[in-house]
Amino acid sequence: MRDENEMIDDEGAVRLLEPLRGDPDVRTVIDVPRAMAEGLRRRRLRRWSSGVAALAVTAVAAGGGTFAVAAMRPDDPLPRPTPTASARTPSAAAAPVGPASCAVTRLPTAGVKKALATAGDPSGRWAAGRLYSTAGHPTKLVVWKDGAIDKQVAMPGSDATFGDLNSAGHGLVTAYGAGDHESSYFYQDGRFTRLRGSDVSAGALNEAGVIVGGRTVSADLDMIPVRWASATAAPQPLPLPASATNGSAGDIAEDGTILGSVSVGTKTAAAYLWFPDGTGRYLPVPKMRDGTRATSFVGQSISNGWVAGSAVLDTADSSTFTPVRYRIATGEYEFLPRELGTAARISADGWIVGEGQFSPVLVAGTRAVKLPPYGPTSKNPGEISYDVRGISADGAVIVGYKAGLQLTNDPLMWTCR
């Protein structure tokens, strides 16, 4: 067994192959690159590169992530200007001590059995997702406030999905239109305003209303990173480092720092930061737990100077994912507990929530708190999975959903004290 959990079930495989565009409840964040790139467009922050084939998946074990990706190796990674960074075991002072207890509730769905919660906000008061028909097709978008339905609204396009919310209850929705072209929309009080730009996918917004994402620029789905100064502004390309040709922006912090990834053509994408002063830099490549230099770092989310993500080690037939937390100010990586699985979302205090193996896990400092499962449980890998989509700034509220081959999907909110 690998030193990390071999955690990718059938649900996770579909999630990573989301460019094939099934419903997101059967997922996310492997080509290894093109599917990950498209995963970002349907979710907040994912990886970028190119090419897609078939995915072979290993059995599930415990703690990090290993899955087979035979015959899908991209070209050599994009050269990084920064040296390898060693990860360290986090100290108790690195992030506040975690909660004493957590509870889970199913968000109301007005009698609809199948529903998803795909976005949460920093205050923990708002969540958003979508409702499905009895035939299993998405029919409406839904917004919750303080655990109750605030609005049910018609979709602005096909396969519409909420990707992010801020504490004003404003959000981002991406949908498909004529010719299967993507458009993104700004949501406010039950109304949608289409963002300017063609073939754009907005992934995240902050409290100031600044929006980031990507714009497709070729038939091969190559993308460039873009930023909207507001919901009414035109998208502005973010500068790419020398030699890079593709990229996307997946998340934005409250100070305006943007997390994304860039690549050269079809080569492996590299995590990248754009700073408010107009400068940018690659994130260093971390080491694995055994000291082996990772192939790459995949950034998932950013908040208050923290970046959550995974150190990735590629071999000829598999990829191993180790969850880590990166502190921008110090340039240091910290290994996170294996049971976290993937480091999905990060709070302003550095708390991180991941999808775990059988239920989500919250990490604060060195402490891992297993979040309570909802409804039926299973010890059979792949039968039941959880998709974590948001965490509040204080780490006390987590939003996501439960999925399973024999289950209707349940939109969930965890509240911790």
Side-chain angles (χ1 to χ4, degrees):
M1 182 166 63
R2 307 294 291 268
D3 72 323
E4 301 305 321
N5 113 16
E6 299 182 347
M7 174 183 167
I8 281 279
D9 51 28
D10 292 340
E11 196 80 18
V14 176
R15 174 169 55 215
L16 289 169
L17 289 171
E18 214 164 9
L20 301 181
R21 280 222 306 118
D23 290 336
D25 53 306
V26 284
R27 290 189 335 163
T28 99
V29 296
I30 286 179
D31 145 14
V32 167
R34 173 65 62 192
M36 293 170 88
E38 285 300 287
L40 167 70
R41 297 169 64 176
R42 306 297 298 150
R43 194 173 177 182
R44 226 170 155 202
L45 183 80
R46 280 303 189 244
R47 297 60 97 176
W48 296 94
S49 267
S50 69
V52 64
L55 174 67
V57 181
T58 63
V60 175
T66 300
F67 39 86
V69 285
M72 287 193 251
R73 292 295 301 274
D75 294 336
D76 291 338
L78 184 69
R80 279 77 160 182
T82 50
T84 299
S86 298
R88 64 182 176 85
T89 301
S91 66
V97 176
S101 63
C102 299
V104 61
T105 58
R106 187 183 193 273
L107 291 165
T109 56
V112 174
K113 291 184 177 180
K114 181 178 180 179
L116 308 177
T118 59
D121 85 299
S123 74
R125 300 187 64 191
W126 296 90
R130 63 187 192 180
L131 306 177
Y132 286 72
S133 68
T134 54
H137 304 299
T139 56
K140 289 182 179 180
L141 295 177
V142 58
V143 177
W144 294 275
K145 182 180 181 181
D146 298 328
I149 293 177
D150 180 71
K151 295 282 191 307
Q152 294 186 52
V153 290
M155 292 185 171
S158 175
D159 199 27
T161 302
F162 267 101
D164 200 11
L165 291 168
N166 65 19
S167 61
H170 303 160
L172 297 175
V173 171
T174 295
Y176 289 84
D180 209 29
H181 291 281
E182 276 187 305
S183 295
S184 288
Y185 300 82
F186 180 74
Y187 169 85
Q188 182 176 357
D189 300 327
R191 300 184 301 275
F192 296 101
T193 301
R194 184 171 174 171
L195 295 180
R196 295 169 65 181
S198 60
D199 292 308
V200 294
S201 178
L205 81 167
N206 64 10
E207 295 294 273
V210 180
I211 299 167
V212 296
R215 181 167 71 86
T216 303
V217 294
S218 77
D220 292 328
L221 300 180
D222 294 318
M223 298 190 78
I224 59 171
V226 295
R227 173 188 181 274
W228 293 261
S230 70
T232 58
Q236 298 298 318
L238 292 167
L240 292 171
S243 78
T245 57
N246 308 318
S248 186
D251 203 3
I252 181 170
E254 298 309 329
D255 68 354
T257 302
I258 297 167
L259 172 66
S261 61
V262 298
S263 64
V264 175
T266 62
K267 292 182 180 180
T268 302
Y272 196 82
L273 293 173
W274 289 271
F275 295 102
D277 64 2
T279 62
R281 67 174 169 88
Y282 291 96
L283 277 76
V285 180
K287 292 182 178 179
M288 307 300 283
R289 294 188 199 271
D290 63 1
T292 303
R293 185 182 187 272
T295 307
S296 63
F297 170 71
V298 175
Q300 299 277 28
S301 60
I302 184 172
S303 182
N304 195 30
W306 299 95
V307 176
S310 296
V312 184
L313 180 64
D314 292 327
T315 65
D317 58 1
S318 69
S319 292
T320 299
F321 287 66
T322 296
V324 293
R325 175 171 50 205
Y326 179 74
R327 188 64 162 163
I328 297 172
T330 64
E332 290 186 304
Y333 284 99
E334 300 173 351
F335 290 126
L336 299 170
R338 287 178 171 85
E339 56 264 43
L340 182 67
T342 58
R345 308 299 310 154
I346 190 164
S347 73
D349 286 336
W351 292 14
I352 296 177
V353 64
E355 285 143 13
Q357 186 175 9
F358 298 110
S359 70
V361 173
L362 178 67
V363 171
T366 58
R367 184 174 175 224
V369 178
K370 183 178 179 181
L371 298 180
Y374 176 82
T377 60
S378 174
K379 292 299 183 182
N380 297 320
E383 279 193 352
I384 294 174
S385 66
Y386 290 85
D387 191 335
V388 177
R389 293 299 185 96
I391 186 171
S392 61
D394 63 2
V397 179
I398 295 152
V399 170
Y401 63 87
K402 179 181 180 179
L405 298 178
Q406 306 299 322
L407 301 173
T408 57
N409 300 105
D410 296 302
L412 303 175
M413 178 177 285
W414 288 266
T415 305
C416 299
R417 301 180 185 276

